[in-house]
Amino acid sequence: MDMEGVVTTMLRTSSEIIPQMETPSQMDDDGTSSNDWTPQMGMEFNDVDEAWEFWKIYALKIGFGVRRRVTNKGKDGSITSTRFCCAKEGHRQKDKRLELVKKPRPETRMDCHARMGIKLVRESGKYFVYDFEPMHSHPLHFEECTHLIRSHMQISDVQAQQIVLGDNAGLTQRQQHDLSSVQSGGRENVGYTRVDVKNYLHTKRGRDMEFGDAGCLLKYFEKRQILDTSFFYLVHLDSNEQITNIFWADSRMVIDYALFGDVVTFDTTFSTNKEYRPLGVFIGFNHHRELVIFGAALLYDETADSFKWLFETFLGAHKYRRPATIFTDQDAAMSKALEEVIPETRHGLCTWHLMQNAMKNVGHLMRNGSNFLTDLKKLVYEYVEVKKFEEAWDSLLSTYEATDNSWLQNLYRLKEKWARCYMKSTVTLGIHSTQLSESLNGDLKDYLACNVNLNGFFKRFDKVVSDKRYKELQAEFNAREKLPTILCRTSPMLQQASKVYTPSMFENFRTEWMKTLSLVIKERNEMDILRGICCWFIWYK
């Protein structure tokens, strides 16, 4: 059987499987096609683009990809003739490296001669079909598969905008494509695949980063300053004029710090993983006990010099108003920088990091059902009196035979930064760790990877900050919408507190007030009581 017979058989097979897909060889008795999407000799078009769209529609109906083969132009630059062909036309050029390739790519060119040629008629300015070859040298695609043909895939401007919005909202490429599939009634109606979404975003990010990380960074900050004139940022350069550390804070962060900046936590959790950029975030509580951000930084390293620059910059951004207390992890370089920059501020250690470090450094004391960790937590949280704390610490060392342990000795030297008995007079607002930033870090984790450009990180960071602020807005709405329940309505103190405090703060106040009802007098000196009554009587008179 010759090649023409093979092609006819393949076309007939496709037509039997999908009856509604007619082949270009089906003609009426008068010699014309029964389909208005089949090219005909002498058919006219107003311009080349119209002819190209017609060829694409024809190819989509039949089941093959298309491309432009040849274009000829006149002296005036106008197109005089052009030829459209099947995407499988010709042969792939021979690659000299083919012998070294273990797994070469599959062949996509099959010397197909299907084509349509058009020429310009100078008198009318239109183009007519002068050449048409309908036969293919390869099987045609089923109708269910035509949406996967590369030449028929295209992301429209509307779809491109939707992809960008989805990416800014944090949707994955899979989620974006699934959403488009539902909206358009199926994957075959979307017009692009999930890989196209990935390629489009990759290309767009490449355009955004055309000036490199430094250019992208400055462009972002300049844009923010146009929208927010109080936006503050500072870039730290090394001796080679290379960017090392970056700090930024918008106007809302500055205002929040002025209102709620008495206690600050600073965390660089992601710096513990080499795959992530060291992100440092200054965080605190607002009057609704919701998380607020006072500033953020991308660090090059965790040296004392970097932390010193960061803390000085942080104070400069907030008009040199020092916090009363700052909580950090157990980092020696950070502690040194704090002592040099803000020695007046009380430095507290994050109790969560303290326990994590204990498991790493003295984990051998916790084996075989040991209660070491429980006893250590009691030293951190329970003992209010210094004398009892010292006795419990000595008992801990002797019980677990850890008197000579260097890590515990160093921890004891820092007891003023973590033990409750030493921190009870410190302003903490109920904060004892840097875990406020854990939810923030979780939201940003995928965008802190080193292979993600800075433009993508800042977009995600702005969205996370916006989400936290929206929670504060919701809390404010609930505070105005609902009144707290007062169990003891005869108490004027609770009545007043319910009107002054926010719901979350009122709950804390009510808890402490309820504790006072259970207070008892352990010791009583009658002479002191009589002496007090006499003093009161004399003063009253």
Side-chain angles (χ1 to χ4, degrees):
M1 184 181 293
D2 57 6
M3 179 58 70
E4 183 176 353
V6 173
V7 175
T8 303
T9 302
M10 288 190 294
L11 289 174
R12 187 182 302 116
T13 303
S14 298
S15 179
E16 292 172 354
I17 296 175
I18 310 175
Q20 68 272 22
M21 185 177 290
E22 299 176 345
T23 64
S25 60
Q26 293 173 324
M27 313 289 281
D28 290 339
D29 296 336
D30 58 358
T32 61
S33 173
S34 61
N35 303 310
D36 56 3
W37 42 263
T38 301
Q40 300 295 323
M41 297 294 292
M43 183 180 291
E44 290 188 345
F45 301 97
N46 293 322
D47 52 39
V48 176
D49 291 336
E50 182 181 336
W52 171 246
E53 291 300 323
F54 180 85
W55 179 249
K56 287 174 63 177
I57 293 174
Y58 165 72
L60 184 62
K61 293 284 187 179
I62 296 301
F64 66 94
V66 296
R67 60 188 177 89
R68 299 173 188 256
R69 181 67 179 88
V70 178
T71 299
N72 299 313
K73 294 184 178 181
K75 293 181 179 180
D76 58 352
S78 61
I79 297 177
T80 57
S81 65
T82 185
R83 181 178 294 169
F84 310 130
C85 64
C86 175
K88 298 186 180 297
E89 182 269 345
H91 295 281
R92 181 188 296 171
Q93 288 185 346
K94 185 177 180 181
D95 193 342
K96 296 179 180 180
R97 300 170 299 176
L98 189 61
E99 297 178 357
L100 302 176
V101 177
K102 297 181 180 179
K103 189 177 181 180
R105 293 181 299 171
E107 291 287 346
T108 56
R109 300 291 185 88
M110 301 180 184
D111 195 26
C112 182
H113 296 287
R115 63 188 180 275
M116 183 183 80
I118 59 174
K119 280 186 179 181
L120 174 65
V121 180
R122 291 288 183 180
E123 292 75 12
S124 62
K126 295 184 178 182
Y127 294 83
F128 74 98
V129 178
Y130 75 93
D131 181 28
F132 174 56
E133 172 57 56
M135 308 307 295
H136 294 263
S137 63
H138 56 88
L140 300 178
H141 292 291
F142 300 150
E143 184 180 14
E144 290 84 352
C145 301
T146 52
H147 69 282
L148 298 174
I149 300 175
R150 174 55 52 189
S151 59
H152 297 306
M153 292 183 187
Q154 184 178 4
I155 298 177
S156 65
D157 294 339
V158 176
Q159 290 173 330
Q161 185 178 8
Q162 185 178 10
I163 290 173
V164 174
L165 291 175
D167 184 58
N168 293 339
L171 296 179
T172 64
Q173 294 160 11
R174 180 190 184 95
Q175 290 171 337
Q176 291 193 57
H177 189 261
D178 290 345
L179 176 61
S180 299
S181 300
V182 174
Q183 291 175 336
S184 57
R187 297 179 183 178
E188 64 277 4
N189 300 323
V190 176
Y192 58 87
T193 64
R194 195 186 308 164
V195 177
D196 295 322
V197 178
K198 177 181 178 181
N199 293 336
Y200 177 80
L201 290 175
H202 178 76
T203 303
K204 183 181 182 301
R205 290 164 183 166
R207 290 196 301 266
D208 294 338
M209 297 294 293
E210 60 181 336
F211 300 109
D213 281 350
C216 173
L217 186 68
L218 296 177
K219 183 179 178 181
Y220 168 80
F221 287 148
E222 289 175 0
K223 182 178 179 181
R224 288 300 306 271
Q225 282 192 325
I226 292 174
L227 301 175
D228 182 2
T229 55
S230 298
F231 183 87
F232 177 91
Y233 77 92
L234 195 63
V235 176
H236 187 208
L237 304 178
D238 61 11
S239 57
N240 297 322
E241 300 297 319
Q242 298 293 319
I243 295 177
T244 54
N245 304 315
I246 310 161
F247 174 85
W248 70 96
D250 61 23
S251 59
R252 178 68 178 275
M253 295 177 185
V254 175
I255 295 173
D256 284 340
Y257 181 79
L259 296 173
F260 312 112
D262 293 326
V263 180
V264 177
T265 71
F266 178 71
D267 180 54
T268 56
T269 300
F270 278 116
S271 61
T272 59
N273 192 326
K274 65 180 181 180
E275 296 179 356
Y276 298 108
R277 293 186 180 97
L279 171 68
V281 186
F282 295 90
I283 294 176
F285 269 148
N286 61 16
H287 54 310
H288 293 289
R289 302 292 291 178
E290 294 288 345
L291 182 150
V292 286
I293 301 173
F294 303 136
L298 286 174
L299 303 176
Y300 178 76
D301 55 28
E302 287 191 293
T303 61
D305 290 338
S306 291
F307 285 127
K308 183 178 179 181
W309 174 88
L310 176 59
F311 295 139
E312 289 175 347
T313 304
F314 175 77
L315 291 178
H318 297 292
K319 307 297 186 291
Y320 295 95
R321 178 176 178 269
R322 292 169 172 78
T325 310
I326 184 170
F327 285 90
T328 68
D329 59 12
Q330 196 174 350
D331 187 279
M334 196 182 301
S335 178
K336 179 182 178 182
L338 286 171
E339 291 177 0
E340 294 181 7
V341 179
I342 44 177
E344 307 91 349
T345 298
R346 184 66 183 270
H347 181 202
L349 294 181
C350 168
T351 54
W352 183 84
H353 280 101
L354 190 148
M355 294 303 166
Q356 295 298 312
N357 291 333
M359 288 186 281
K360 293 179 182 177
N361 293 276
V362 290
H364 61 283
L365 300 177
M366 306 176 190
R367 298 172 183 172
N368 301 323
S370 170
N371 294 322
F372 177 83
L373 187 61
T374 301
D375 295 339
L376 182 61
K377 287 182 179 180
K378 290 180 180 179
L379 287 167
V380 176
Y381 299 110
E382 294 187 8
Y383 293 101
V384 180
E385 298 178 6
V386 175
K387 182 180 179 180
K388 291 185 177 181
F389 170 83
E390 297 292 343
E391 293 174 353
W393 179 264
D394 293 337
S395 175
L396 178 78
L397 297 182
S398 61
T399 301
Y400 297 97
E401 299 180 357
T403 306
D404 298 329
N405 187 279
S406 59
W407 186 84
L408 290 175
Q409 290 176 354
N410 181 63
L411 183 64
Y412 179 76
R413 284 192 290 267
L414 301 174
K415 61 182 180 297
E416 289 84 2
K417 297 183 179 183
W418 55 267
R420 181 182 178 183
C421 58
Y422 291 100
M423 296 286 292
K424 62 182 179 181
S425 60
T426 304
V427 179
T428 63
L429 302 182
I431 299 175
H432 297 286
S433 72
T434 61
Q435 281 192 291
L436 284 175
S437 59
E438 288 303 313
S439 61
L440 181 72
N441 290 343
D443 294 333
L444 289 171
K445 184 174 182 180
D446 293 338
Y447 289 82
L448 283 170
C450 292
N451 59 353
V452 176
N453 61 57
L454 287 176
N455 188 57
F457 162 75
F458 280 117
K459 285 184 179 179
R460 183 62 179 173
F461 181 83
D462 289 341
K463 183 182 182 303
V464 171
V465 172
S466 177
D467 290 343
K468 300 303 179 185
R469 290 172 179 172
Y470 186 72
K471 285 187 176 181
E472 179 181 345
L473 188 64
Q474 289 177 316
E476 184 67 31
F477 172 80
N478 291 329
R480 297 171 183 269
E481 182 74 8
K482 307 171 184 177
L483 294 176
T485 303
I486 303 176
L487 299 178
C488 186
R489 296 185 179 275
T490 58
S491 170
M493 183 181 295
L494 287 182
Q495 292 285 350
Q496 183 184 13
S498 66
K499 299 175 182 178
V500 176
Y501 293 138
T502 61
S504 57
M505 295 303 299
F506 175 73
E507 288 297 327
N508 291 336
F509 175 82
R510 183 167 57 183
T511 300
E512 295 298 323
W513 182 82
M514 293 294 291
K515 289 179 180 179
T516 62
L517 301 180
S518 60
L519 295 178
V520 295
I521 300 175
K522 292 184 177 180
E523 298 180 1
R524 182 173 59 183
N525 190 319
E526 295 181 357
M527 291 301 298
D528 289 341
I529 295 174
L530 291 175
R531 192 178 297 113
I533 294 174
C534 293
C535 291
W536 175 85
F537 182 77
I538 295 172
W539 175 84
Y540 182 77
K541 288 294 185 180

